[in-house]
Amino acid sequence: MPTARKSNSRPTVFVALLRGVNVGGNNMISMRELKASFEEMGFTQVSTYINSGNIIFTTKENDARKLEKKIERMLAKEYDLNSKVVIRSLSEMEALVKNLPRSWKGGSDWRYNVIFLRHTIDSEDLLVDLPAKEDIEEIVYRPGALLWSALVSDINRTTWAKFAARKMYQDTTVRNLNTTKKLYELMNKVAEN
């Protein structure tokens, strides 16, 4: 008797990283309400992580650009929020986490941030415009992200400290090292279900 084949139409695990949500008292959105909005859009296995716009979900739609647009339209309509969204699949998060710099040990004297790039600016050429100050910071490109680390004592002197004033900053969203690793871990748990 032939064995049944597993369907290849298994939903893909994604994380939606919302820019500027619940930061500094601005763009306040209940994560419970946001979870419900994602479920109403037809996404499955929806969960949120911390109160800063990290939503893990599954869908059969594989086009991240379509997903970003769909979620941005929902945010504008339901929450009057013109927030940009960065979508990453489990495989993209895995590639990122497995290729973090070896120097990222998580010491308290250094800050480690993953700057997720929207597709509109995703290029290694960004490093030309963002030269790191070698004695106090390091900026490394990985597909879809800039990995930025700096001495906490010198944060205000870094290249990144001036990045927020640049137009391209609007096409990024930042998560610290621990949040990035935790999102990857949570995405893996969803994939196992």
Side-chain angles (χ1 to χ4, degrees):
M1 179 178 229
T3 57
R5 284 184 156 178
K6 285 188 177 181
S7 171
N8 288 339
S9 62
R10 186 177 173 133
T12 302
V13 180
F14 288 100
V15 63
L17 305 168
L18 281 55
R19 185 177 194 291
V21 170
N22 297 344
V23 176
N26 296 315
N27 301 326
M28 301 304 290
I29 297 178
S30 156
M31 291 299 104
R32 188 176 75 247
E33 290 174 14
L34 192 59
K35 179 182 185 288
S37 294
F38 269 64
E39 290 169 343
E40 287 169 14
M41 287 191 295
F43 300 134
T44 54
Q45 294 186 290
V46 180
S47 62
T48 64
Y49 176 67
I50 62 177
N51 201 33
S52 59
N54 305 299
I55 305 96
I56 297 165
F57 63 98
T58 61
T59 181
K60 291 192 176 187
E61 172 61 66
N62 285 315
D63 187 330
R65 303 301 79 79
K66 284 183 183 177
L67 292 170
E68 287 169 351
K69 288 176 186 172
K70 181 177 182 177
I71 294 166
E72 287 170 354
R73 281 193 303 270
M74 177 275 296
L75 291 171
K77 181 180 178 186
E78 294 184 27
Y79 299 96
D80 196 28
L81 179 65
N82 291 315
S83 178
K84 294 194 178 176
V85 176
V86 175
I87 299 287
R88 290 295 181 264
S89 67
L90 174 57
S91 62
E92 289 171 318
M93 287 294 280
E94 179 176 32
L96 177 66
V97 169
K98 291 193 174 191
N99 288 293
L100 291 170
R102 293 174 196 236
S103 61
W104 283 34
K105 305 280 190 235
S108 61
D109 53 337
W110 282 81
R111 181 168 296 163
Y112 304 93
N113 284 333
V114 178
I115 303 157
F116 289 94
L117 307 170
R118 284 178 55 91
H119 63 282
T120 53
I121 64 165
D122 184 9
S123 171
E124 192 169 8
D125 294 341
L126 289 175
L127 295 176
V128 174
D129 294 331
L130 298 169
K133 295 181 180 175
E134 292 182 25
D135 56 330
I136 60 170
E137 70 183 329
E138 180 181 31
I139 305 171
V140 177
Y141 173 81
R142 295 288 188 269
L146 292 177
L147 308 177
W148 174 77
S149 57
L151 279 168
V152 172
S153 60
D154 291 308
I155 290 285
N156 293 330
R157 295 188 321 116
T158 64
T159 297
W160 178 250
K162 297 168 187 70
F163 185 62
R166 294 178 178 225
K167 186 176 187 264
M168 71 176 86
Y169 179 69
Q170 299 303 313
D171 287 319
T172 68
T173 189
V174 181
R175 301 297 184 274
N176 68 33
L177 174 62
N178 291 336
T179 297
T180 301
K181 285 181 168 182
K182 185 64 176 181
L183 288 170
Y184 171 60
E185 176 188 323
L186 294 171
M187 292 171 79
N188 270 314
K189 285 182 181 174
V190 169
E192 291 168 3
N193 290 335

